[in-house]
Amino acid sequence: MASPQIQNTASTGEEMHALVRKLYPICRSITGEGVRETLRILEQYAPIQVYEVPSGTAVFDWTVPKEWNIKEAYIKDPSGRTVVDFRQHNLHILQYSVPVRARMPLSELREHLFTLPEQPDRIPYRTSYYREAWGFAMTHRQLSELPEGEYEVVIDSKLEPGHLTYGECRLPGRRAEEILISTHVCHPSLANDNLSGIAVAAFLAGILQGREREYSYRLVFVPGLIGPVTWLAQNEAATPGIRHGLVLTCLGDPGGFTYKKSRRGDADIDRAMAHVLAHDGTPYRIIDFSPVGYDERQYCSPGFNLPLGCLMRTPHGEFPEYHTSADNPDFVTAASLGGALGLCLRVLDVLEKNRKCINLYPRCEPQLGKRGLYRTVGGTSAAYAELARLWVLNLSDGDHTLLDIAVRSGIPFEAVAEAAGELERHGLLEALQVHDHSTKS
Amino acid sequence: MASPQIQNTASTGEEMHALVRKLYPICRSITGEGVRETLRILEQYAPIQVYEVPSGTAVFDWTVPKEWNIKEAYIKDPSGRTVVDFRQHNLHILQYSVPVRARMPLSELREHLFTLPEQPDRIPYRTSYYREAWGFAMTHRQLSELPEGEYEVVIDSKLEPGHLTYGECRLPGRRAEEILISTHVCHPSLANDNLSGIAVAAFLAGILQGREREYSYRLVFVPGLIGPVTWLAQNEAATPGIRHGLVLTCLGDPGGFTYKKSRRGDADIDRAMAHVLAHDGTPYRIIDFSPVGYDERQYCSPGFNLPLGCLMRTPHGEFPEYHTSADNPDFVTAASLGGALGLCLRVLDVLEKNRKCINLYPRCEPQLGKRGLYRTVGGTSAAYAELARLWVLNLSDGDHTLLDIAVRSGIPFEAVAEAAGELERHGLLEALQVHDHSTKS
Amino acid sequence: MASPQIQNTASTGEEMHALVRKLYPICRSITGEGVRETLRILEQYAPIQVYEVPSGTAVFDWTVPKEWNIKEAYIKDPSGRTVVDFRQHNLHILQYSVPVRARMPLSELREHLFTLPEQPDRIPYRTSYYREAWGFAMTHRQLSELPEGEYEVVIDSKLEPGHLTYGECRLPGRRAEEILISTHVCHPSLANDNLSGIAVAAFLAGILQGREREYSYRLVFVPGLIGPVTWLAQNEAATPGIRHGLVLTCLGDPGGFTYKKSRRGDADIDRAMAHVLAHDGTPYRIIDFSPVGYDERQYCSPGFNLPLGCLMRTPHGEFPEYHTSADNPDFVTAASLGGALGLCLRVLDVLEKNRKCINLYPRCEPQLGKRGLYRTVGGTSAAYAELARLWVLNLSDGDHTLLDIAVRSGIPFEAVAEAAGELERHGLLEALQVHDHSTKS
């Protein structure tokens, strides 16, 4: 793997932001043409294969729902003026609204209108996936200006047997063991939640594709909740081979990082993330697993208990733009997207290079000087490299991985890994053979 | 079990305080008629069986002492005026004083007089159980006013072979495994130490008697130290079946709760108490086990190491009224007694309802919505109930009890238990079979 | 063992300081006559046996170097005036300088001159053990005053096959298991680093020699780095019998104690040291093991991982006098040396007396009163002794050592050990048999 820093350039951030802007206008939902169109665009960034799962398919305790598509939807006031138009904003429609074509007085219509009184200029995001309904979302200011009288309501949608669509990018590595990256693709016109996660995952896929990989990777682009349920049901046999993983979401806002640990709490991904964040110099916090949040709920259900954490910047519900029309491309920045991609690459670099080594000269220190590994002249960086070598030698007793050594010594993993490589080249250290118990799929 | 809150009413507190006042005038000691009279009164509150153990009975390293009873005791000054009279206060007599009928000068008498110079208006509580002696306790003010001259001293007591008396209330439950509640009954005319503990234990017995019980209960009313030693010696075979327990004392003063953990430190009783106290909103502190204190010293001796903690408000020695005539019924309050009873009931409720469950749909979350277990409308309490359900499902993997889940999630046990019950009724959860290894006695 | 406090007198501190002054003028190095002369002086304090290991001997990854001795060395300026003379200060010579007899201009000479520009009046300590070189160290002020011109340089040294010399004091104890004390003897004319460690180790040896010993002891006086490597290579078979140990260095400066834990981190020596320091009332800090520092680097290499910590006052590099001519006998004090010796003795006392006992009356408390072990009169020290007895009885269940009990109870080890002895004498406690798995060597 080349140094991951190279990837985290300002221009990559800008490219990701351009992708966010490109995907923003598409009306995605948990099924339907929006997801297909989104995946078609992502295919330009990474080798994504698209899967279609028929409505009605049983997936654990759930059933793949009908497919929903919508052409147009509007409300006309008593004077015939269009007061709400789906074409103007995808959020105007209650997701999964059944078709409607009717006239009704405002009093009746009101029961189908959703607003945010405390944020009167924003359109809320509303869904009704598992209970048939119809409705419109609008700004509270719009609602308050509606005159009494009879309104015309049109929703030209279809809710019919079809498919649930998801994308998967598989990148085989030297080992069959896998790293799983998952991101949800079901939200319409919401930039941070979750075009940011989609963009970071797509760029990750593209970069990883161009690299030597120790692990095999799967990057999955799935609708929220029903997506991972479906994916897990269809890939259950592969789950024992998943060694590490991340759910990516809300990575474009200006806040610091929030890492939510896996249900295990001390998985390698949890420790690698904590280590990298501790040395990164940017604000962050690490929170414990809980069964609310994003798709880690499914991956970390007790029957799977996969070692996946969730990487976010500001968590859902903690920023006022959350699930409103204010979560638009202006809310996310190229710098935040680029920083998130860089963090992911650094963490994956730790996982890729982490290994257990054995000091071949375990009794007393080996004589580094005669091998040119002991500083003869001073200098801070030489002393630092030497310190890393001494730590690697001292703790390479078969019980400690390089990540363990980095954590214990307080030395960044990269310097520890570099020291280990140098010691291996000088015949002082030997990597323990890794036994790959997963099956090449 | 009905909701325990019902019990913790102001009127119950008043009833307990009335019991304290009724028991206060009785001259109890570690043996003798005072204990018998006390137990006769307690029989009105709960089905207590009285046991008599003969003096001289060997109990581990100890021997049941002679029985002590006293009719009268006084001191007359040189003018024939009675200056100390046992009839006026039980504390005036050194407990276990041998009979005396003598005349002596003040200088000689002084060696048998106990006062509290730093609290000159309070009579101290003094005992000499295991070394034959006699003496009187009085206020320091009284002592300082005694004129020189010859005094008449009379103690009409008997220290003869008899019995040690204790009470036990046994309440069988669905399981043979037991919860042991122990309180000491040896102190004369001291309200907080320990009529408060006696009253709470007696009312607990009465309330538990009227309930469905998962566990079997024993509530023992024993003299301090020699009491639990005797009880343990006579019930040694039953001790392996004791799953949880509490020593109750000093529960009537106005202070916050102090819970002293069992010697194990992480017994269920310790965790249940910590959890309930953390959610109770009243001041409290939790302290580690130490081999000084009350009868937990015996229950937690290394040969038994029973999972009993000690519940107090202000610990012995930390309130100035401790072991003085100021520890009278005015020092304890109905509210404090009622609060202590309520706490005990809430903790017992946790132990009764605690169990390990298995999520029957462990792969991904089950679809709560189709079972009406997912909020369709908002609201804080609905969200809270849903959160409890998600935690119970996520952690019911065979490794976690409901108490574990409550502690991990920060959700009160009651809400967790309610969620578990609901999930069981919907076929999503199943309680693990409990294996009861104790013998029905 | 007699009470260790007796040893820690002001006069012992003065005697140690006299030893420091006596050893200060000797020009020690990692080999050569200086070490031999030093060990001959130490033989007056303790029964030290001297070992000679030939140059060229392979010791793990190292080779015993040639022996270095020096007679004279000086620099004469263009006017023939001697500007640097080894006879004036041992530090003037780069250790292991090869012989030189030459004339050269100042510009060429400069490359062989070492100074401390930031401490212009101090001579630095410089070595070149493993790369052949020559040089002089001097004050920066001296250097700045040197006139241009041709200089005469003479180093009359020998670097030839010879021996590495070390001393070892072996004191057999009741058990074959050993306590290892190691200190480095390679530094010329540096008082804190490490005549202080040498003096404390020599006095320890003398005191331990006069005592009943539970453990066997080895006190080794070795050159830094190559010394412990050589000692470990020659004594590898004995290492499994080493139960505890200390590296002693920098113990004479006025700073508080610094204890660097063993690589294991929770060895008995680590816990004993932490316990004694916590009760000692002097400033101290405890730091984690790291593979930089003194000879603990070798003893704690992963192939040995011996339970040795390193006791210092101010660690190397943290005092400005470090490795300069300012680290002279005025920098170390009799009080610091005496305090260090006292601390070592108190810690060894804990290790010697530590044991696991069994309470022979584990069910309930035994009746201490009938054995005169329960205070009948008050008093703080009586209460304290009683508390220690109760803790020892309560925790002597086969799982806890006396040190464990001291740590858990917060009672100083000495009081705990005294209580245990008393309880043993009264037949209440029995020490568990120690199985000594090491071989008497």
Side-chain angles (χ1 to χ4, degrees):
Chain A
M1 252 189 172
S3 170
Q5 274 74 8
I6 294 169
Q7 311 300 343
N8 179 15
T9 58
S11 72
T12 312
E14 292 298 343
E15 289 170 48
M16 284 190 279
H17 199 267
L19 175 58
V20 166
R21 289 196 306 272
K22 192 190 295 184
L23 297 172
Y24 183 73
I26 300 170
C27 181
R28 279 165 296 276
S29 187
I30 56 173
T31 61
E33 287 303 329
V35 173
R36 287 189 193 94
E37 190 182 342
T38 299
L39 294 174
R40 271 194 299 274
I41 292 172
L42 296 181
E43 281 167 3
Q44 300 161 14
Y45 296 81
I48 290 169
Q49 176 152 4
V50 175
Y51 293 83
E52 299 278 357
V53 183
S55 300
T57 304
V59 285
F60 299 123
D61 192 45
W62 300 72
T63 306
V64 173
K66 291 177 187 164
E67 183 175 327
W68 182 71
N69 285 291
I70 182 162
K71 275 197 190 146
E72 69 171 345
Y74 57 82
I75 301 173
K76 288 192 175 163
D77 72 7
S79 72
R81 194 174 58 94
T82 301
V83 291
V84 176
D85 189 348
F86 166 64
R87 282 184 205 155
Q88 288 190 343
H89 208 297
N90 287 321
L91 295 183
H92 275 316
I93 194 74
L94 174 78
Q95 290 252 324
Y96 262 61
S97 280
V98 293
V100 170
R101 198 169 289 270
R103 300 185 70 85
M104 62 188 71
L106 180 60
S107 59
E108 190 180 327
L109 176 60
R110 271 182 188 277
E111 290 168 30
H112 298 270
L113 301 182
F114 301 93
T115 68
L116 290 170
E118 66 283 10
Q119 298 188 63
D121 292 316
R122 293 173 174 178
I123 310 166
Y125 167 55
R126 288 288 182 273
T127 69
S128 185
Y129 300 133
Y130 301 101
R131 201 171 49 107
E132 294 207 347
W134 66 266
F136 288 84
M138 58 202 298
T139 70
H140 198 66
R141 206 170 302 278
Q142 273 181 297
L143 176 65
S144 62
E145 287 164 3
L146 293 185
E148 292 298 323
E150 195 177 66
Y151 283 76
E152 183 191 351
V153 178
V154 169
I155 300 181
D156 182 6
S157 66
K158 278 187 183 166
L159 186 58
E160 296 172 340
H163 293 83
L164 178 151
T165 311
Y166 70 80
E168 188 184 282
C169 170
R170 295 173 73 159
L171 302 170
R174 206 181 63 74
R175 291 195 235 171
E177 293 172 308
E178 293 188 353
I179 295 179
L180 174 66
I181 310 285
S182 177
T183 198
H184 61 278
V185 295
C186 48
H187 287 188
S189 300
L190 292 169
N192 197 36
D193 180 14
N194 186 33
L195 297 176
S196 69
I198 294 170
V200 171
F203 273 72
L204 261 183
I207 292 166
L208 291 168
Q209 185 192 9
R211 291 192 172 172
E212 291 274 308
R213 291 173 300 275
E214 179 70 17
Y215 283 97
S216 298
Y217 285 80
R218 293 210 212 191
L219 298 100
V220 300
F221 301 81
V222 284
L225 207 169
I226 189 67
V229 172
T230 301
W231 187 87
L232 283 163
Q234 304 224 325
N235 293 276
E236 192 172 356
T239 56
I242 295 171
R243 288 286 164 272
H244 319 287
L246 280 175
V247 169
L248 299 181
T249 183
C250 294
L251 290 168
D253 68 84
F257 289 111
T258 301
Y259 176 67
K260 177 182 169 181
K261 288 194 280 189
S262 78
R263 182 178 181 271
R264 302 181 184 190
D266 64 346
D268 278 357
I269 182 69
D270 302 321
R271 299 173 65 246
M273 188 64 83
H275 176 74
V276 171
L277 284 170
H279 287 275
D280 242 27
T282 57
Y284 72 95
R285 61 180 168 146
I286 293 177
I287 59 176
D288 281 336
F289 176 79
S290 71
V292 288
Y294 287 97
D295 290 335
E296 67 278 7
R297 290 163 64 156
Q298 312 311 322
Y299 298 115
C300 297
S301 57
F304 291 111
N305 197 23
L306 295 179
L308 271 87
C310 178
L311 183 65
M312 307 165 266
R313 286 185 179 274
T314 308
H316 71 101
E318 296 187 16
F319 52 96
E321 296 82 0
Y322 175 71
H323 277 195
T324 76
S325 52
D327 182 5
N328 60 41
D330 291 341
F331 179 56
V332 309
T333 72
S336 286
L337 293 167
L341 179 66
L343 174 63
C344 290
L345 286 166
R346 283 192 290 287
V347 167
L348 293 177
D349 201 50
V350 169
L351 298 173
E352 287 269 317
K353 292 180 180 163
N354 192 26
R355 63 193 181 277
K356 212 173 259 187
C357 297
I358 285 286
N359 178 349
L360 299 174
Y361 291 74
R363 294 170 304 166
C364 297
E365 292 171 3
Q367 194 177 355
L368 296 178
K370 69 184 181 189
R371 297 174 176 89
L373 296 175
Y374 205 81
R375 99 198 101 123
T376 45
V377 292
T380 313
S381 82
Y384 203 67
E386 187 180 302
L387 182 64
R389 282 175 216 127
L390 291 173
W391 271 111
V392 170
L393 286 169
N394 192 274
L395 290 181
S396 289
D397 53 6
D399 288 334
H400 300 88
T401 63
L402 296 185
L403 177 56
D404 294 333
I405 297 172
V407 170
R408 167 93 178 258
S409 68
I411 298 173
F413 179 87
E414 198 163 314
V416 167
E418 196 174 311
E422 202 170 43
L423 294 167
E424 280 177 283
R425 286 191 295 278
H426 282 85
L428 295 172
L429 200 71
E430 196 172 81
L432 277 182
Q433 199 62 35
V434 175
H435 299 283
D436 187 336
H437 296 294
S438 51
T439 316
K440 200 81 185 178
S441 53
Chain B
M1 252 189 173
S3 170
Q5 274 74 7
I6 293 168
Q7 312 299 342
N8 180 14
T9 58
S11 73
T12 311
E14 293 296 345
E15 288 171 49
M16 284 190 278
H17 199 268
L19 174 57
V20 167
R21 289 196 305 272
K22 192 190 295 186
L23 296 172
Y24 183 73
I26 300 171
C27 181
R28 278 165 298 275
S29 186
I30 55 173
T31 62
E33 285 304 327
V35 173
R36 287 189 192 96
E37 190 182 341
T38 299
L39 294 175
R40 269 195 299 273
I41 291 172
L42 295 182
E43 282 168 2
Q44 300 162 15
Y45 295 80
I48 291 170
Q49 176 151 4
V50 176
Y51 293 83
E52 299 279 355
V53 183
S55 300
T57 304
V59 286
F60 299 124
D61 192 45
W62 301 72
T63 305
V64 172
K66 291 178 187 164
E67 181 175 329
W68 182 70
N69 285 292
I70 183 164
K71 276 197 191 147
E72 68 172 346
Y74 58 82
I75 301 172
K76 286 190 176 166
D77 73 6
S79 71
R81 194 174 58 93
T82 301
V83 289
V84 177
D85 189 348
F86 166 64
R87 282 183 206 157
Q88 288 189 345
H89 208 298
N90 287 321
L91 294 183
H92 274 317
I93 193 74
L94 173 79
Q95 291 251 323
Y96 262 61
S97 279
V98 293
V100 171
R101 197 167 291 268
R103 301 185 69 84
M104 63 188 69
L106 180 58
S107 59
E108 191 181 326
L109 177 60
R110 270 182 189 279
E111 291 169 28
H112 298 271
L113 301 182
F114 302 92
T115 68
L116 290 170
E118 65 282 11
Q119 298 188 62
D121 292 317
R122 292 174 175 179
I123 310 167
Y125 168 54
R126 289 287 182 275
T127 69
S128 185
Y129 299 134
Y130 301 101
R131 200 173 48 107
E132 295 208 346
W134 67 266
F136 287 84
M138 58 203 296
T139 70
H140 199 65
R141 205 170 302 279
Q142 274 182 299
L143 175 66
S144 63
E145 288 164 3
L146 294 185
E148 293 297 322
E150 196 177 68
Y151 282 75
E152 183 191 351
V153 177
V154 170
I155 299 180
D156 183 6
S157 67
K158 278 188 186 164
L159 187 57
E160 296 173 338
H163 293 83
L164 178 151
T165 311
Y166 69 80
E168 188 183 283
C169 169
R170 295 173 74 160
L171 302 170
R174 207 181 63 74
R175 292 196 235 170
E177 292 173 307
E178 293 186 356
I179 295 180
L180 174 67
I181 309 285
S182 177
T183 199
H184 61 280
V185 295
C186 49
H187 287 188
S189 301
L190 291 168
N192 197 35
D193 181 13
N194 187 34
L195 296 177
S196 69
I198 294 170
V200 171
F203 273 72
L204 261 184
I207 292 166
L208 291 169
Q209 185 192 10
R211 291 192 173 172
E212 291 274 308
R213 292 174 299 276
E214 179 68 17
Y215 283 98
S216 299
Y217 285 79
R218 292 209 213 192
L219 299 101
V220 299
F221 301 82
V222 284
L225 206 168
I226 189 68
V229 172
T230 302
W231 187 87
L232 283 164
Q234 304 224 325
N235 293 277
E236 193 172 355
T239 55
I242 295 171
R243 288 286 165 273
H244 319 286
L246 281 174
V247 168
L248 299 181
T249 182
C250 295
L251 289 167
D253 68 83
F257 288 110
T258 301
Y259 176 67
K260 177 182 169 181
K261 288 194 279 188
S262 77
R263 181 177 182 272
R264 301 182 184 190
D266 64 347
D268 278 356
I269 182 68
D270 301 323
R271 300 173 65 246
M273 188 65 82
H275 175 74
V276 171
L277 284 169
H279 286 275
D280 242 27
T282 56
Y284 71 95
R285 60 181 169 146
I286 294 177
I287 60 177
D288 281 336
F289 176 79
S290 72
V292 289
Y294 287 99
D295 290 334
E296 67 277 7
R297 291 163 64 156
Q298 312 311 323
Y299 298 114
C300 297
S301 57
F304 291 111
N305 197 22
L306 296 178
L308 270 85
C310 178
L311 184 65
M312 306 164 268
R313 285 183 179 274
T314 309
H316 71 101
E318 295 188 15
F319 51 96
E321 295 82 0
Y322 175 70
H323 277 195
T324 75
S325 51
D327 183 3
N328 60 42
D330 291 342
F331 179 55
V332 308
T333 71
S336 286
L337 294 167
L341 179 66
L343 174 63
C344 290
L345 286 166
R346 283 193 290 288
V347 168
L348 293 178
D349 202 48
V350 170
L351 298 173
E352 287 270 318
K353 293 180 181 163
N354 192 26
R355 61 192 182 279
K356 212 172 258 186
C357 298
I358 286 286
N359 177 348
L360 299 174
Y361 291 74
R363 294 170 304 166
C364 298
E365 293 171 4
Q367 193 177 355
L368 296 178
K370 70 183 180 191
R371 297 174 177 88
L373 296 175
Y374 205 81
R375 100 199 100 123
T376 45
V377 292
T380 314
S381 82
Y384 203 68
E386 187 179 303
L387 183 64
R389 280 176 217 127
L390 292 172
W391 272 109
V392 169
L393 287 169
N394 191 275
L395 291 181
S396 288
D397 53 6
D399 286 336
H400 300 89
T401 64
L402 296 185
L403 177 55
D404 294 333
I405 297 172
V407 170
R408 168 95 178 257
S409 68
I411 298 174
F413 179 86
E414 198 163 313
V416 168
E418 197 173 312
E422 203 170 41
L423 294 167
E424 280 177 282
R425 285 191 296 277
H426 282 85
L428 296 171
L429 200 72
E430 195 172 81
L432 278 182
Q433 199 62 35
V434 175
H435 299 284
D436 187 338
H437 296 293
S438 52
T439 316
K440 201 79 185 178
S441 53
Chain C
M1 252 186 170
S3 170
Q5 274 74 8
I6 292 169
Q7 312 298 343
N8 180 14
T9 60
S11 73
T12 313
E14 292 297 343
E15 289 171 47
M16 284 190 279
H17 200 267
L19 175 57
V20 167
R21 289 195 306 272
K22 192 189 295 183
L23 297 173
Y24 183 73
I26 301 170
C27 181
R28 278 165 297 277
S29 187
I30 56 172
T31 61
E33 286 304 328
V35 173
R36 287 189 192 94
E37 190 182 341
T38 298
L39 294 174
R40 269 195 299 273
I41 291 171
L42 295 182
E43 282 169 1
Q44 300 162 14
Y45 295 81
I48 291 169
Q49 176 151 3
V50 176
Y51 293 82
E52 299 278 356
V53 183
S55 300
T57 304
V59 285
F60 300 123
D61 191 46
W62 301 72
T63 306
V64 173
K66 291 178 187 163
E67 183 175 327
W68 183 70
N69 285 290
I70 182 163
K71 275 197 191 143
E72 68 171 347
Y74 57 83
I75 301 172
K76 287 191 175 163
D77 73 7
S79 71
R81 194 174 58 94
T82 301
V83 291
V84 176
D85 190 347
F86 165 63
R87 282 184 205 155
Q88 287 188 345
H89 207 299
N90 287 321
L91 295 183
H92 274 317
I93 193 74
L94 174 78
Q95 290 252 322
Y96 263 62
S97 278
V98 293
V100 170
R101 199 167 291 267
R103 301 186 69 85
M104 62 189 70
L106 180 60
S107 60
E108 189 180 328
L109 176 62
R110 270 182 188 277
E111 290 169 28
H112 297 270
L113 301 182
F114 302 92
T115 67
L116 289 170
E118 65 283 11
Q119 299 187 63
D121 292 315
R122 293 175 174 177
I123 311 166
Y125 167 55
R126 289 287 182 273
T127 69
S128 185
Y129 300 133
Y130 301 101
R131 200 173 49 107
E132 294 207 348
W134 66 265
F136 287 84
M138 56 202 299
T139 71
H140 198 66
R141 205 171 302 279
Q142 275 181 298
L143 175 65
S144 62
E145 288 163 3
L146 295 184
E148 292 299 322
E150 196 178 67
Y151 283 74
E152 181 192 352
V153 177
V154 170
I155 298 180
D156 182 5
S157 66
K158 279 187 182 164
L159 187 58
E160 298 172 338
H163 293 83
L164 178 151
T165 311
Y166 70 81
E168 187 183 284
C169 170
R170 294 172 74 159
L171 302 170
R174 206 181 63 73
R175 293 195 234 172
E177 292 172 308
E178 293 186 356
I179 295 179
L180 174 66
I181 309 285
S182 177
T183 198
H184 61 279
V185 295
C186 50
H187 287 188
S189 301
L190 291 168
N192 197 35
D193 182 14
N194 187 33
L195 297 176
S196 69
I198 294 170
V200 171
F203 273 72
L204 260 184
I207 292 166
L208 291 169
Q209 184 192 10
R211 290 193 173 171
E212 291 273 310
R213 292 173 299 277
E214 179 69 16
Y215 283 98
S216 299
Y217 285 80
R218 292 209 213 193
L219 298 101
V220 299
F221 300 82
V222 284
L225 207 170
I226 189 67
V229 172
T230 301
W231 187 87
L232 283 164
Q234 304 224 325
N235 294 276
E236 192 172 355
T239 56
I242 296 171
R243 287 287 164 273
H244 319 286
L246 281 174
V247 168
L248 299 181
T249 182
C250 295
L251 290 168
D253 69 83
F257 289 111
T258 300
Y259 176 67
K260 177 181 169 181
K261 288 194 280 188
S262 78
R263 183 177 181 272
R264 302 183 184 189
D266 65 347
D268 279 355
I269 182 68
D270 302 321
R271 300 173 65 245
M273 188 64 83
H275 176 74
V276 171
L277 284 170
H279 286 274
D280 242 28
T282 56
Y284 72 95
R285 61 181 169 146
I286 294 176
I287 59 176
D288 281 337
F289 176 80
S290 72
V292 288
Y294 287 98
D295 290 334
E296 67 278 7
R297 290 163 64 157
Q298 312 310 323
Y299 297 115
C300 297
S301 57
F304 291 111
N305 197 21
L306 295 179
L308 271 85
C310 179
L311 183 65
M312 307 164 267
R313 286 184 178 276
T314 308
H316 72 100
E318 296 187 15
F319 51 97
E321 296 82 359
Y322 175 72
H323 276 196
T324 75
S325 52
D327 183 4
N328 59 40
D330 292 340
F331 178 56
V332 308
T333 71
S336 286
L337 294 167
L341 178 66
L343 174 63
C344 289
L345 286 167
R346 282 192 291 287
V347 168
L348 293 178
D349 201 49
V350 170
L351 298 172
E352 287 269 318
K353 292 180 180 163
N354 192 27
R355 61 192 182 280
K356 211 173 260 187
C357 298
I358 285 286
N359 177 350
L360 299 174
Y361 291 75
R363 294 170 304 166
C364 299
E365 293 171 3
Q367 193 177 354
L368 297 178
K370 70 184 182 192
R371 296 173 177 90
L373 296 175
Y374 206 82
R375 100 197 100 123
T376 45
V377 293
T380 314
S381 83
Y384 203 67
E386 187 181 302
L387 183 65
R389 281 175 217 128
L390 292 172
W391 272 110
V392 170
L393 287 169
N394 192 274
L395 289 181
S396 288
D397 54 5
D399 288 335
H400 300 89
T401 63
L402 296 185
L403 177 56
D404 294 332
I405 297 172
V407 170
R408 167 94 179 259
S409 68
I411 298 174
F413 179 86
E414 198 165 311
V416 168
E418 197 174 311
E422 203 169 43
L423 293 167
E424 281 177 282
R425 286 190 296 279
H426 282 86
L428 296 172
L429 200 71
E430 196 172 79
L432 278 183
Q433 200 61 36
V434 175
H435 299 283
D436 187 338
H437 296 293
S438 52
T439 317
K440 201 80 186 177
S441 54

